[in-house]
Amino acid sequence: MGLLSGLFRSRDKPQNRTSGSAYSFFFGGSSAGKRVNERSAMQMTAVYACVRILSEAIAGLPLHLYRYKEDGGKEKALDHSLYRLLHDEPNPEMSSFVFRETLMTHLLLWGNAYAQIIRNGKGEVIALYPLMPDRMTVDRDGNGQLYYEYTVSMDDAPTVKGSVVRLKPSDVLHIPGLGFDGLVGYSPIAMAKNAIGMTIACEEYGAKFFANGAAPGGVLEHPGTIKDPQRVRESWQSTFGGSGNSNKIAVLEEGMKYTPIGISPEQAQFLETRKFQINEIARIFRVPPHMVGDLEKSSFSNIEQQSLEFVKYTLEPWLVRWEQSIQRTLFSPEEKKQYFAKFNVEGLLRGDYASRMTGYATARQNGWMSANDIRELENMDRIPAEEGGDLYLINGNMLPLGNAGAFANTEVSDDGKEEDSDEEVLEVEEPGGDGNGSGSEDAVLERHHRRGKLV
């Protein structure tokens, strides 16, 4: 404890800034003049699409709890209490899908996901409740030990009492995103607030452009002096402003003339800017552009490869964060040696039907998948073992794996004829035959049986 006190003092609490820097990565104003926070960012279609794609992908994957077997394999730990919490229902108020979707949304918007761990008297986890990241503070006490401080709202589940509650690390499932201290993650929205602020500004510009009747601002010129220019301006705006008044014919009196002074959106590269910002936001979340509706550089030949890269380079790091956080927090030291949680991504890595069948055929013919292994991957019922559902076959007349090499004991003599190296071959004479036993079908089967040990 003395060593920890020397290394981690109370002032060394996790902060939302780099070491020695006064610049903080918080929500707020952007260089485009627009305020960016988690709610305004989610009003951008590209941000909403990326957050929804990632959160639903994580929530939709099967999450299983496994137990190590003595023979080195693994099996689902269906009898463990955590299996039901992780796979089905983490608390009485929500399903596993909704729970993981909520935490993943928090992780993408705030850079951290928190859930309160409810335990019974034996220390077993009986429920998990999401906590809002913007009301959570991570700090150290005087001994350098981490603790979590949560500000309670009336909307929270009644699992805690008081306005501010201090929780121990063992009472919080904390999944941090990318950060500089390994304890607190930084919000992707806050880190990229200038790019998102520019997107908000572009969208607001387009909305005001069409609100003005898709016509740029201009000047009303009068040859004389206008006594009440405010009234003329308001009259013009009410008559010709707005998309509902577009294409109306203006009647100008007393020599008045309208001269537009704005520039077209094409000249301002408005559409190109908006399109680039969509790709910019997709780049922040590492989501392929085709998944947010940009199919310009996608084709039939490469879109499947992009989807596989999405699983490998985008989803996989998030899944590892989830799995290791669950392993670190929810299991006791003894359970960590026996159990582990794992997401099943096989469904996302599956190709089209023809490719899957070709792969299954190769695996089946080479002896490393049985019919039941394949049927389980295709969500089909198992074939009973007595009907051969668990047999592993190999090429060469599709023999059972246990009989592979049955003819290894057969030697070839100098004259090219097969001879039995271990035991004498019994010749069986066919009734009514020529006496040499070679013309009988039963004799042929008998010779093959003795040489190959076939069943």
Side-chain angles (χ1 to χ4, degrees), residues 139-301:
D139 205 341
R140 294 187 187 275
D141 59 20
N143 295 322
Q145 298 296 314
L146 284 174
Y147 67 87
Y148 294 82
E149 207 166 61
Y150 188 69
T151 303
V152 181
S153 170
M154 296 296 294
D155 299 330
D156 292 325
T159 59
V160 292
K161 298 180 180 179
S163 58
V164 177
V165 178
R166 178 174 291 193
L167 300 170
K168 297 182 295 185
S170 59
D171 294 330
V172 178
L173 172 62
H174 179 198
I175 307 173
L178 176 66
F180 294 139
D181 57 6
L183 299 174
V184 176
Y186 299 149
S187 165
I189 302 298
M191 297 288 281
K193 62 183 177 182
N194 287 331
I196 297 175
M198 186 173 179
T199 307
I200 296 174
C202 289
E203 184 170 285
E204 186 175 310
Y205 172 83
K208 290 184 177 180
F209 178 79
F210 286 100
N212 290 325
V219 176
L220 286 173
E221 300 182 21
H222 192 278
T225 301
I226 301 179
K227 297 181 179 178
D228 191 356
Q230 181 67 22
R231 182 183 60 82
V232 175
R233 184 186 300 109
E234 292 176 356
S235 176
W236 176 270
Q237 184 65 26
S238 62
T239 305
F240 301 105
S243 58
N245 295 324
S246 60
N247 298 322
K248 276 190 175 182
I249 298 176
V251 178
L252 302 179
E253 300 178 329
E254 300 179 0
M256 190 175 294
K257 182 174 66 172
Y258 175 76
T259 304
I261 60 173
I263 59 176
S264 66
E266 290 78 15
Q267 292 172 325
Q269 295 185 337
F270 168 66
L271 296 178
E272 288 80 359
T273 301
R274 288 209 66 190
K275 189 173 183 180
F276 176 79
Q277 290 307 116
I278 292 176
N279 288 330
E280 188 87 338
I281 291 174
R283 188 179 300 118
I284 296 169
F285 294 99
R286 203 188 295 171
V287 172
H290 76 270
M291 299 189 75
V292 293
D294 184 5
L295 300 175
E296 180 181 4
K297 296 183 179 180
S298 299
S299 64
F300 177 79
S301 60

Side-chain angles (χ1 to χ4, degrees), residues 25 134 172 303 319 369 385 448:
F25 304 110
D134 57 340
V172 178
I303 198 165
L319 296 178
M369 289 188 78
H448 280 285

Side-chain angles (χ1 to χ4, degrees), residues 63-118:
L63 176 57
H64 297 292
L65 183 65
Y66 292 95
R67 178 191 296 110
Y68 293 110
K69 298 171 63 177
E70 293 183 358
D71 59 0
K74 66 179 186 297
E75 63 181 357
K76 293 179 182 177
L78 300 176
D79 55 343
H80 198 287
S81 59
L82 269 179
Y83 186 94
R84 183 186 64 83
L85 294 180
L86 296 176
H87 185 268
D88 300 317
E89 188 177 279
N91 62 68
E93 299 176 353
M94 60 189 68
S95 65
S96 177
F97 183 97
V98 174
F99 174 79
R100 284 184 276 154
E101 181 186 44
T102 302
L103 288 193
M104 191 63 195
T105 301
H106 293 172
L107 196 52
L108 294 169
L109 293 179
W110 283 281
N112 295 276
Y114 304 95
Q116 185 185 4
I117 302 173
I118 308 298

